[in-house]
Structures are given as C-alpha cells and as structure tokens.
Amino acid sequence: MSPADPSLPLLKGTLELLLLKALQWGPMHGFALSQWLEERSRGEMSFDDSALYHALHRLEGRGAISGSWAVTENGRKARYYRLTAAGTRRLRDEADTWTRYARLVGRILALQP
Amino acid sequence: MTDPLRRRGLFEWILRRGRDPDAEVGDELDSHLALRIEALEAAGLGPAEARAEALRRFGDFAATRDALARDRRRRAQRRDLRDVVSGWVTGLRLVGRQAVLAPGFAAVWIGTLAAAVGLATAVFALVDGILLRPLAYPDSDRLVTLLTVDSAGGRYPVVSADNWNDWRRENRSLAAAAIYRSDRGALAGDGDPLRITVTTAPPELFQTVRPRLRTGRPYSESETAARSPVVVLAEGLWKQLGGERRSGPWRVTVDGEEREVIGVVAAGQAFPRGTDAWVPYRHRQIGGQARNNLNWLAVGRLADGLTPAVAEADLGRVAAQIRAADPAGLYSWGVGVEPLQDTMTAEARELLLLLQGAVLLVLLVACANLAAASLARGLARTREVAVRIALGAGRGAVLRQTIGEHLVLGLVGGAAGGALAWGLIRTVPGLLGDELPRLDNVRLDLRVLTFAVLTAGFSGLATGILPALQAAGAAPARILGGGRGTVRGGSRAGRWLVTGEIAVALLLVTGAGLLIESLRQVLRQPLGFTTNGVVTAELFLAGARYRDDPGQVTAYWDAALGAVRAAPGVAGAGLANWTPLGTGGSSFIEIEGQDAPNAGAEYRAVGEGYFGALAIPLLAGRDFASGDEPGAPRVAIVNRAFAERYWPGQDPLGRRLRTPGMEQAPAGADLPWLTVVGIVGDIRHWGYEAPMNPEVFVPWRQVPVFSRSLTLVARSNRSAGDLVPVVRERLLTIDPATPADVRPLAARADGLLASRRFTMTVLTAFAVLALALTAVGVYGVLSFSVAQRTPEFAVRAALGADPRRLVRWVVSDGFRLVALGCAAGALAAFLFGSAVRSLVFGVSVGDPTVLLTGVAVVGGAGLLAAWLPARRAARVAPMEVLRRD
C-alpha cells in the first residue's frame, strides 16, 4: 500500500463484520464478496484478497459461516459461504456494538476544545 | 441434498471427514484467481497483465495458501477431538439416562454384550494360557519332542533307548537330548506310604529342559554311572514330606530303594508335568531287536539358531546310519522333531480353536442383535437427529457422536464382561480337572484384559456403524415435514442383520448337534468289558524282600486275590499288568509256520479270574489257572480279532506263537513258543473311540518281569464306590508298606469322555445363546415393523380384513427372514463343517438329519418369535389407532 493510495486501511476486525453483513444478501463466494465490498465502499477501502480469505476462514472456524462448493453462473466451481444461525446472531451483536462505538468515537472527535 | 456417504468411501468419510485441507484451500484460491482474471480480462486487460494484476491484488499467494491450510488442519483436528469427546460424554449420559428412563433396554443391551464379551474373553484366556504362552522352562521355544518314524512314514511319540543313544552321540543339531519314562511308584518316608509318579531319566533331562530348582542340584553323570542312590523331588511332594523344615542329608524310600534327596524342582517346573520324583538311569546299548522296544519318550533342545526341520534332516541322517548298521531295527526311517509345546497341546488345540471360533460367532450374533436394537431405537430418535442436523450440526458430527455413544456402551458392556470372564476363569478350570494341559497357566492378565477391551471396542464400533450411518443420513425436510416419518433403510439393515444372525445360529446349532450326536454314537460303542461295579487297584511291590525273593511276590498276589475275593459282594477278581482305559503295550509277534516279521499285537500279562472280573467272555478253550507257573508249559490266550487276523478260518487252539518284543531269549537258547489255550472276546482297550485291536494275553506268573507291578481288578455285585475302601483296607492288612491306588473303573471311562463332554456342553451352550439372541432379534425386527405398520393394519382391519390374514402376513414376513437365514446357514455349515471333523464320531459332517434338526430348531424359534408380534398386529383396534393421528 503506497502512501499515495487514497483508500482507507481497514481497522482490525472490521472486515469480518463487513463480510457477515454482505452474506445477509445470500450465499456468495470469495471473489463475489470482494466485488461486493469494493462496490459498496466505492473503492475507498483497501485490503488484499489474502486478508479476505483469512477473515473468511476465521469466521468459518468460529461457525459463523459455512462454506460449500457449488458452480457459479459462468460454470466455474467456487466455494460459497452462507451465514449460519450463529453468524446471524454475531452480525447483530457486532453491528450493534460497532455502531454504538463509531457514534461514541465520532461524538468525542467532534468536540472542540 | 447429495448424500456425502455415497460420494466418498465410507471409511474415508469416517476417518478423514473431508478432503485434504491443502487441496481444498488451493482449489478455493485458484478459483478466486480465475474469477478475478476473468473479470479483469472482461475489463480489457490482456491475459498476462490480468494475471499479474490478479496476483498483485491478492497479496502473498503462497504464504496465504499455506497459512490457511495449516489453520484448517488444526481446526479439523480440534473438531474431531471435540466430536469424539462429546460423543463419549453423550454416550455416558445416554447410559445414565437409559439406566433411569429405560432400565430394561440398557440392562439387556449391556448384559447381552457383557455375556458375549465375557465368554469370548474366558475362552481367549484358555487359548492364550494353553496354546499361545510359551512353556515355563527357560528358552522353551527351543525344546522339541523327538519321534520315531517307521517305514510308512508313521510318527510315534515313543522312542527306543538304543536308538536314542545313537541320536545323542551322532547328531549335530541338538544342544542336549534326553529320554524319560514316568511310572506310578511308591514312596515311603516317615509316615504312611504314598503313591507317586516317578520319572526315570538320564541326567541329560535336566540339561535339556533346564527346570528351575527350588534348592539343591540335579543328579550328575557320575552318580548315574555309579548308580548312586539319589533322588530329586518336586516341590509339592517335598513340602508334603516337610522338606522345608529339614536340614542336612535326608533319605526317602522310592519303590523300595532308599535314596538321598539331593535337589528339589520348583513348583510348575516339573518335566514331564505331574512328576513327583526323578531317579537316575543310564541305558546300556543292546542293539539288534532291542532297537524295536519303543518304551521311552524323548525331549531335545535345539542348538542355537536351528529349526526343527534342520534337526529333523540331521537326525534323519543318523537314523539312516542306524538302519545300515543294524538291519534288525525296524523303526529307524527317520526322526521326527516337533516343538514340545505343539506336542503338549496337540489334543487341546483343535478343541480350543473350535470354541474360540464359536464364541466369536456368538459375539457376532450379539453385536448384530444390538445393532438391530440400536437401529430400531435410532429410528425412534430420527426426529431428534433431524432437528440437530437442521440446526446446523454436521452430518459427520452426528455420525461420530453416534459411534462414540456405542463405544461407551460397548466399553461399559466390556467392563461387565471382563468381570464375568474373571469369574469364569476362576471356576471353569476346576470343573475341567486334568482334561486340558497347562490349565494352571490360565489367568486373567493384561493380555487377556487387552483382548477384552479390544473385543468390547470392536463390538461398540460394529454395533454403532449402522445406526450412525442411519442417523447421519436422516433427511430433516422429509422427516420434520412429513409428519409420521418412516425411514425404510434402517429397518432394511435390521432385517439383513437378523438374517445373518439366523445363519450363524444355524451354523452353531448344527455344530453342537454334530457333537451331541457324536457323543451318543461314542457311548453306543460296546467296550467289550464292563465297568459296572469294577474297581482297579494299582500296586507295586517295592520292598527289598520282594526284589530278592520271587516267592514272596507270588505269595503276596495269592494272598491279595484271596482277601479281595472273600470280601462280601465280590463277583470276581484277577490281576493284569495293563488294564483297559489305562496304559498298555504292544509286542512283535512270531506265528509258528508264518513268515510275518512285522506282525504285532497288543500284549498283556494277566492272571486267572481277570477275564471274569471284567466280564470279558471266554469264547473257547480255558482261562489261565494258578497252575500256569514258571515251570509249567508256556501258554497264551488270544482274542477273536487276533485269531481272525493270524489264523483266519482256522482253530487257533493249540497253535503256537512267541513274543520277541516282550521277552529276551535266555542265553544260548531260543525264545520259547507259547501254546494258545483260550480265545476271549474283543475289547476297546483304549476307550470308546478306539478300535478293537488284536490282543495276546500271557499268564503273569510265567513272565516275572511284570510281576512286581500289577493291577488287581475286582468286580462287585454292589456299587464300585462301596468296594473301593474295602479293597484298600484288605490290601493294607496283607502288607501295610504297600499302598494301592484304588479307583472305580467307570471314573476312568468318564475321564476319557470329559473333554468331549466339555466341548459338547460349551458349544451347545453357545448355540443356545446364539439361538436365543436370534429369536430376540427376529422378534425385535418384526415388532418394529408391526409397530410401524400399525396404522396400515388399522385401516385394513377397519375395512374388514380377516385378523388371521394379518397374522399370516407378519408370520410369512418372518418366514422369509428365517428361510433366507437358514439357507445361508446351511451353506456355511457345509463350508465350515470341516472345523469339527476331527471331533465328530460316528456321524458325517454333512449329516442331513443333524442339519434338518438344526433347521427345525432354528426355524421353529424364528417363527415363534415372528408369531408374537403377528398376534399383536391382529389385535390392532382400528379406531383407537386411527384416532391417534
């Protein structure tokens, strides 16, 4: 990532939350998820694809999502992930926490001395 | 949804539960790159540029792939462990819960497995202790039995001392070898005289077998050569005589000779087994005909690194030399060499392996039954499992948990089985007496316990696999959505299991039937003599006065006969050197006027009244008389088989024969001819299963070599048990220093049948157990199917179906199971019948009567088990059932 890069680096743990959110739209494979995030962030967020897969595997390991092989519309095999019940709960809790946290940090940062 | 079990090998599924993590991760990342490149190319990049860009956006491809694969692997391991542990925990909970909720089911389940595992373990303990464990002597795997080989290749466990002298001197393959012979003898110490077993052997016996000594030393070569009066005692006898408390030189009288006790063989180390005292002996070479006197046993110790086959070839060379140098030797066509352990356990081997096979079949039937029961229960739990799967539990996890539950059940059953085996091992050997060799070696130790644990674990797995597959195959949508769900696959597996059980039960029942029929046939064999009311009294005239004065010997026997014959109720008494069902010997025979150098017959020295005492009929001529004395004309009596073999169609009375195997010609004279004065009936000297051999009898008064060691046979009009103390007492009044071994003859006949009875009883018990389990299995499967089809029956009953027709339906359903199982079982009985061939007597292995009886028994039990649920089907109350839904 060059200093000139205009995109934002990711805060730790954010990517996992965003992935859970993305899967609310339905099962997706890794590439589709990266496209989805790119589009929704309008290119302002920057992360390597490798980070995406690390995050996916961590989520799968915790049982928040589960993966299975299927065929894409272009006839390619890809591993699709979907939310599990635990994942849905986790998304709700973490989204809630994140929103409160962001609001709190934003409020504090908005204060003037 | 595809069934993961169909897609992959069952065992791969159970053991690995997934693809190789490396391949899985690699595939996923490759697919990602491909999709990215596709998208970039669609945006207008060239293939090479697109690939480079895709890789750049990915980051470190190789490192990521490796890290992810490593993570996956670790996770999979943790998950497996968790599943197994949770399966065990569930299993334990299940056991506990069932013990409370369904105590009957748990008790029957665990009890069945405990019985099967316990029996299998107890039989294994026998097999292990008797067949598998090495003998107690040092480096016992090097000990071999030496056997005589005749011109036809026949192998006999007896050798001639003359031949052995040559073997020992000329061989290059044995570290040591010895001949030995055990006889009943008398020991006099301070107290009452004892009957003991005395082994006569050269000092090499101790160098060959190397038994551990409790104290002292074995006798030496010089003591043997000098005929020093020494003896080695067994620890048991030594303690009985109070040897532990003695110090300094100590003498006992063995067979009339005072000997100094110089060593004590430790308990369990006696060779041959059962010996109480060893006395030294050195054989002086005679040569010629003496080479044919096969009256010793021989044991050898292989030189380091040599096999029995090498020793056999080496000794075969020595045997050929003997044959060349001494053509009179008829039994030197080779020397058999076989491991001592095989010799000692040869008779037990077949019986034990048969029982081990049978008990494993019982275990198999038990497992099949339990698997069927679990399948039925599993079907009842289908909903629970379907819910778990719908909630996200992996099928693999469900599968592993079900197996875990069964492993726990199996091990609980195994623990109970181990306790049962412990009890059996402590009681059964006592019931067997001396019938099996090395019984003292049988115990429940780590090896046997390992067997029990493995068996129990295997049973748990075997019973768990089908229910686990069934649980993992549960389709949530169908079961949860479809109301009253039925899973046909499960009950189909149960039916196959039960069919297999029927087959195995028939196999066992047929085997048991063959042994039962064999015993019946054996008992039907006429012995040719009576055991009713007969007692035998073995005696050895040991005292110095008998050794020095033959007149004293004759006087003792005449007094003994007189005293016993005068006892109340005694119908007859006589003397013999070898009595039926005991020991015996055979001799070469020369028939006057016939040239038959290999002629032979069983040989007995007996006296007047002997045939009458055993109720052996005198067919022609006369019995011996007290007048057949040393100075009188030499006479003999032959049996009918002898007469028919050597004088077919002729009158044997007055013909002459002689016995070169038993008597040596006096110096400077010919061996005397014996004139046949009588013919008696044939007997089975060696027991029910033995043939009636040709026999020649000579009067003991004319062959002094046997006259100090005879057995008095007496028959009472009353019971043999009453006669035993009478005979013992009367004999002691004649000479208090000469103890007698007095026993009922019938006890010996029973002893000969003990191992046959034991095998038959145990195999029958196994068959009955298998049959009962199978009946329960048939009952269970049909009950389950009736329960499942109850609504259907209710509808049919409501529509006016005849209840008898419903019964017929269920019973014919059972009949199909039974018929298929019996067909398979009959085929198995045909294929494996040879396993009992050597134990079968008087009936052929494929005997149709036995097989049909077996089919009737198994089929009857199966149909009875089918009829009970059928009756229930007929009693279905339509409205009640239909209202339930």
Side-chain angles (χ1 to χ4, degrees):
Chain A
M1 224 179 299
S2 65
D5 198 326
S7 55
L8 288 168
L10 270 178
L11 290 174
K12 210 168 160 53
T14 324
L15 184 52
E16 289 174 23
L17 176 59
L18 294 177
L19 288 171
L20 288 178
K21 183 71 194 171
L23 288 174
Q24 262 194 325
W25 272 257
M28 268 187 260
H29 52 74
F31 179 66
L33 282 165
S34 90
Q35 298 275 62
W36 191 92
L37 285 175
E38 234 168 88
E39 283 166 23
R40 299 301 182 281
S41 72
R42 298 182 199 89
E44 282 185 45
M45 210 159 38
S46 113
F47 54 89
D48 284 349
D49 291 345
S50 61
L52 176 99
Y53 280 97
H54 275 295
L56 281 174
H57 281 240
R58 268 198 302 277
L59 285 171
E60 192 182 15
R62 288 176 198 143
I65 61 176
S66 74
S68 58
W69 287 89
V71 179
T72 69
E73 39 299 16
N74 309 351
R76 239 173 229 296
K77 267 186 71 183
R79 198 151 195 265
Y80 278 77
Y81 294 91
R82 61 179 172 79
L83 274 181
T84 64
T88 311
R89 256 197 319 276
R90 188 187 173 109
L91 172 61
R92 201 178 53 223
D93 295 350
E94 289 196 0
D96 189 40
T97 312
W98 180 264
T99 317
R100 279 168 51 203
Y101 184 74
R103 210 167 38 226
L104 176 68
V105 173
R107 211 167 53 224
I108 290 170
L109 291 180
L111 295 176
Q112 293 298 324
Chain B
M1 182 176 290
T2 32
D3 184 349
L5 304 181
R6 300 249 163 76
R7 235 173 36 210
R8 278 179 223 138
L10 169 62
F11 286 97
E12 192 189 350
W13 168 256
I14 290 168
L15 298 176
R16 290 180 45 200
R17 293 147 317 257
R19 298 169 52 207
D20 174 24
D22 291 312
E24 178 96 20
V25 169
D27 283 356
E28 181 175 16
L29 300 189
D30 284 346
S31 126
H32 171 90
L33 279 184
L35 287 164
R36 169 78 75 197
I37 290 169
E38 216 168 77
L40 289 168
E41 282 178 349
L45 267 66
E49 287 166 309
R51 182 166 182 79
E53 175 62 10
L55 279 170
R56 191 193 62 75
R57 289 174 72 163
F58 193 90
D60 193 337
F61 187 81
T64 306
R65 188 186 55 208
D66 294 349
L68 290 181
R70 201 169 49 237
D71 275 6
R72 274 182 91 84
R73 235 189 319 268
R74 233 179 260 150
R75 242 170 30 219
Q77 282 161 3
R78 269 203 304 271
R79 193 189 54 214
D80 291 357
L81 190 67
R82 207 176 51 222
D83 284 350
V84 170
V85 170
S86 90
W88 283 64
V89 172
T90 320
L92 276 174
R93 266 213 317 262
L94 191 73
V95 173
R97 202 170 60 202
Q98 281 182 349
V100 178
L101 290 183
F105 181 85
V108 168
W109 210 104
I110 290 172
T112 304
L113 192 60
V117 170
L119 288 174
T121 305
V123 175
F124 176 76
L126 287 179
V127 170
D128 185 51
I130 293 169
L131 297 185
L132 303 182
R133 232 170 251 285
L135 303 174
Y137 314 110
D139 296 323
S140 63
D141 55 327
R142 314 217 57 77
L143 292 177
V144 290
T145 308
L146 306 179
L147 306 107
T148 290
V149 179
D150 71 8
S151 58
R155 292 154 81 95
Y156 307 94
V158 282
V159 307
S160 100
D162 263 40
N163 284 350
W164 173 76
N165 268 349
D166 291 332
W167 298 351
R168 187 172 63 104
R169 203 175 45 246
E170 305 288 338
N171 88 81
R172 297 188 208 118
S173 52
L174 300 175
I179 48 171
Y180 61 94
R181 185 166 76 188
S182 297
D183 301 287
R184 296 294 289 167
L187 179 134
D190 302 338
D192 287 338
L194 298 169
R195 294 284 299 179
I196 61 168
T197 299
V198 181
T199 291
T200 307
E204 290 93 325
L205 185 71
F206 293 93
Q207 294 148 26
T208 308
V209 180
R210 300 180 193 160
R212 206 158 40 75
L213 294 200
R214 168 71 201 267
T215 177
R217 57 175 179 83
Y219 40 81
S220 68
E221 181 58 52
S222 57
E223 281 166 333
T224 307
R227 302 192 180 191
S228 306
V230 293
V231 62
V232 172
L233 298 184
E235 184 168 350
L237 178 63
W238 177 69
K239 281 185 173 159
Q240 192 183 342
L241 297 174
E244 276 172 304
R245 296 182 299 277
R246 286 172 200 269
S247 57
W250 168 38
R251 288 168 177 280
V252 293
T253 304
V254 179
D255 284 346
E257 187 167 356
E258 205 172 76
R259 293 171 180 272
E260 184 180 346
V261 178
I262 57 166
V264 176
V265 170
Q269 291 276 305
F271 183 90
R273 235 168 56 100
T275 300
D276 295 307
W278 288 262
V279 296
Y281 173 82
R282 172 60 65 205
H283 176 73
R284 270 181 312 109
Q285 193 78 352
I286 302 167
Q289 293 277 1
R291 288 195 182 276
N292 300 332
N293 296 338
L294 308 179
N295 37 24
W296 294 86
L297 300 170
V299 60
R301 179 176 284 275
L302 293 173
D304 280 343
L306 295 188
T307 62
V310 172
E312 199 162 308
D314 177 45
L315 286 162
R317 171 185 58 81
V318 180
Q321 287 171 13
I322 296 173
R323 214 165 58 234
D326 213 341
L330 297 173
Y331 291 114
S332 197
W333 296 83
V335 178
V337 178
E338 64 179 39
L340 179 64
Q341 183 153 9
D342 291 359
T343 315
M344 285 179 72
T345 58
E347 282 177 30
R349 176 177 302 271
E350 213 140 11
L351 171 169
L352 286 174
L353 294 182
L354 174 73
L355 293 185
Q356 184 78 83
V359 80
L360 290 179
L361 286 179
V362 172
L363 183 69
L364 213 58
V365 169
C367 285
N369 230 9
L370 300 179
S374 288
L375 277 174
R377 263 189 65 79
L379 289 179
R381 284 170 62 196
T382 312
R383 276 159 180 275
E384 174 197 330
V385 172
V387 168
R388 273 165 65 198
I389 290 178
L391 288 179
R395 282 163 192 282
V398 169
L399 187 130
R400 283 190 293 280
Q401 273 183 10
T402 311
I403 287 185
E405 288 168 11
H406 282 87
L407 270 177
V408 170
L409 280 170
L411 291 178
V412 172
L420 175 65
W422 183 77
L424 285 174
I425 290 169
R426 287 173 64 90
T427 51
V428 168
L431 306 178
L432 267 175
D434 263 356
E435 277 315 305
L436 289 172
R438 310 184 69 202
L439 260 183
D440 44 340
N441 214 20
V442 172
R443 55 184 169 256
L444 194 69
D445 59 7
L446 203 62
R447 276 161 67 115
V448 176
L449 280 178
T450 308
F451 175 87
V453 169
L454 287 180
T455 316
F458 161 81
S459 308
L461 263 182
T463 50
I465 269 181
L466 281 175
L469 289 178
Q470 171 189 268
R478 208 171 84 213
I479 291 159
L480 297 179
R484 188 181 284 272
T486 55
V487 181
R488 285 239 154 251
S491 79
R492 204 159 48 226
R495 298 170 74 89
W496 280 113
L497 286 174
V498 168
T499 307
E501 283 181 45
I502 295 169
V504 173
L506 180 60
L507 182 64
L508 286 172
V509 166
T510 313
L514 283 173
L515 293 194
I516 292 171
E517 179 60 18
S518 295
L519 182 63
R520 231 165 57 87
Q521 294 289 344
V522 163
L523 288 175
R524 238 195 236 164
Q525 294 290 307
L527 283 173
F529 60 91
T530 185
T531 60
N532 284 344
V534 176
V535 302
T536 58
E538 274 181 43
L539 288 147
F540 180 72
L541 304 184
R545 62 187 169 119
Y546 299 116
R547 195 176 50 212
D548 303 333
D549 182 359
Q552 289 281 343
V553 174
T554 315
Y556 175 88
W557 293 125
D558 284 336
L561 282 172
V564 171
R565 281 177 181 148
V570 169
L575 292 163
N577 65 337
W578 293 313
T579 49
L581 311 178
T583 50
S586 54
S587 173
F588 285 101
I589 304 286
E590 269 180 67
I591 311 282
E592 194 177 34
Q594 292 182 20
D595 183 24
N598 275 326
E602 303 265 357
Y603 177 96
R604 321 271 177 255
V606 307
E608 69 282 359
Y610 167 79
F611 298 115
L614 284 174
I616 298 172
L618 182 68
L619 303 175
R622 69 165 175 93
D623 188 6
F624 292 132
S626 54
D628 294 321
E629 292 174 312
R634 295 295 304 270
V635 292
I637 289 175
V638 297
N639 69 354
R640 188 205 294 264
F642 188 101
E644 281 169 3
R645 176 173 303 178
Y646 295 112
W647 295 295
Q650 306 164 42
D651 183 6
L653 291 180
R655 297 187 181 272
R656 302 208 300 173
L657 58 85
R658 53 187 180 185
T659 59
M662 284 294 166
E663 283 184 79
Q664 307 296 329
D670 276 347
L671 199 59
W673 289 101
L674 317 180
T675 305
V676 175
V677 297
I679 306 171
V680 293
D682 298 338
I683 66 161
R684 293 180 204 282
H685 182 93
W686 300 104
Y688 297 97
E689 295 173 52
M692 292 180 158
N693 290 329
E695 285 177 299
V696 56
F697 301 89
V698 299
W700 64 265
R701 292 172 198 272
Q702 292 185 337
V703 276
V705 61
F706 296 112
S707 63
R708 283 172 63 206
S709 177
L710 293 175
T711 298
L712 193 150
V713 181
R715 181 158 55 91
S716 166
N717 298 329
R718 307 169 194 174
S719 84
D722 292 348
L723 189 55
V724 168
V726 176
V727 169
R728 186 178 291 134
E729 235 166 76
R730 293 202 168 216
L731 291 175
L732 274 182
T733 57
I734 300 168
D735 180 358
T738 300
D741 247 355
V742 189
R743 294 160 200 236
L745 188 57
R748 274 203 248 167
D750 284 347
L752 285 178
L753 293 174
S755 86
R756 180 173 279 288
R757 279 216 170 89
F758 172 75
T759 317
M760 186 198 80
T761 310
V762 174
L763 194 63
T764 305
F766 288 170
V768 168
L769 188 57
L771 189 62
L773 286 169
T774 303
V776 170
V778 171
Y779 173 81
V781 159
L782 291 180
S783 293
F784 185 71
S785 124
V786 166
Q788 287 222 315
R789 290 169 66 189
T790 300
E792 178 196 331
F793 289 140
V795 171
R796 286 180 191 275
L799 292 178
D802 182 357
R804 271 177 306 182
R805 223 175 117 193
L806 295 180
V807 171
R808 217 162 36 234
W809 257 358
V810 178
V811 171
S812 70
D813 193 20
F815 183 79
R816 273 195 295 278
L817 291 180
V818 169
L820 191 59
C822 281
L827 184 67
F830 175 74
L831 290 176
F832 300 116
S834 57
V836 290
R837 180 157 291 147
S838 70
L839 297 168
V840 163
F841 182 92
V843 52
S844 87
V845 168
D847 187 67
T849 316
V850 171
L851 188 61
L852 286 178
T853 311
V855 169
V857 168
V858 174
L863 289 181
L864 178 69
W867 182 67
L868 296 173
R871 232 177 23 161
R872 204 174 319 132
R875 287 196 192 143
V876 165
M879 284 327 290
E880 204 175 295
V881 173
L882 295 176
R883 218 173 285 131
R884 243 189 274 155
D885 265 344

